[in-house]
Amino acid sequence: MDIIRFREVIKQREETDDEWTFGVEQCWKKEIEILTEDIPSTINFLKNDCTAEEYSWISEVIDDVVEKVRSKELVQCYKDLMIKFPEECVKYNIAGSIESAEAILTWEDENEKKG
C-alpha cells in the first residue's frame, strides 16, 4: 500500500466540500484503489500506522473496499481498531460501516453455498 499517496488523497478529501459530490467520489475512488491494491500491506498499515483521523476517513469507503476484495482479515483488523479509536467510532458511526462490510461478507458466503 502506498501510504504517502493514501495520505495525499485523505488530505484532498478533507479539503473537498461534501456538497461537491464529484470531488468526493473521485477521492473515494482513489482511496479504494490504494486500499485494495495490496491487502497484506493495507492490513499492516491498519495495524501499525493508521491514525484516528485516517481510520475515520476509511469508514466512508470500507464497505466498497470489502466488496472489491472480500477479506475477512481486513474487516477484523478494521474492527479491532474500534478499541484503539473509540471516539471516532462514536462520532462517525464506524460500527455501522463495519456492520455493512460484514453483511457483504455474510451475503457472499451464503450465496456461494447456494450456488
Side-chain angles (χ1 to χ4, degrees), residues 39 43 47 71-78 105:
I39 295 305
I43 289 169
K47 288 181 177 179
S71 169
K72 290 179 184 175
E73 187 180 1
L74 179 69
V75 173
Q76 186 58 52
C77 183
Y78 193 74
L105 294 175

Side-chain angles (χ1 to χ4, degrees), residues 68-105:
K68 189 171 179 182
V69 295
R70 291 178 170 76
S71 169
K72 290 179 184 175
E73 187 180 1
L74 179 69
V75 173
Q76 186 58 52
C77 183
Y78 193 74
K79 196 174 181 178
D80 291 345
L81 288 173
M82 290 178 74
I83 297 163
K84 188 175 181 180
F85 304 122
E87 296 95 33
E88 284 69 22
C89 292
V90 173
K91 187 175 181 181
Y92 299 106
N93 186 27
I94 290 177
S97 299
I98 291 170
E99 284 176 27
S100 177
E102 288 177 321
I104 291 167
L105 294 175

Side-chain angles (χ1 to χ4, degrees), residues 29-110:
K29 185 177 175 182
K30 290 175 191 172
E31 283 179 62
I32 294 163
E33 179 184 307
I34 294 166
L35 291 167
T36 60
E37 65 193 2
D38 180 10
I39 295 305
S41 70
T42 297
I43 289 169
N44 185 56
F45 166 76
L46 291 172
K47 288 181 177 179
N48 301 303
D49 298 309
C50 187
T51 66
E53 186 178 353
E54 291 164 343
Y55 179 60
S56 64
W57 286 113
I58 293 170
S59 70
E60 291 185 328
V61 299
I62 191 66
D63 52 342
D64 294 308
V65 169
V66 171
E67 192 166 337
K68 189 171 179 182
V69 295
R70 291 178 170 76
S71 169
K72 290 179 184 175
E73 187 180 1
L74 179 69
V75 173
Q76 186 58 52
C77 183
Y78 193 74
K79 196 174 181 178
D80 291 345
L81 288 173
M82 290 178 74
I83 297 163
K84 188 175 181 180
F85 304 122
E87 296 95 33
E88 284 69 22
C89 292
V90 173
K91 187 175 181 181
Y92 299 106
N93 186 27
I94 290 177
S97 299
I98 291 170
E99 284 176 27
S100 177
E102 288 177 321
I104 291 167
L105 294 175
T106 301
W107 184 90
E108 191 69 23
D109 287 346
E110 289 173 358

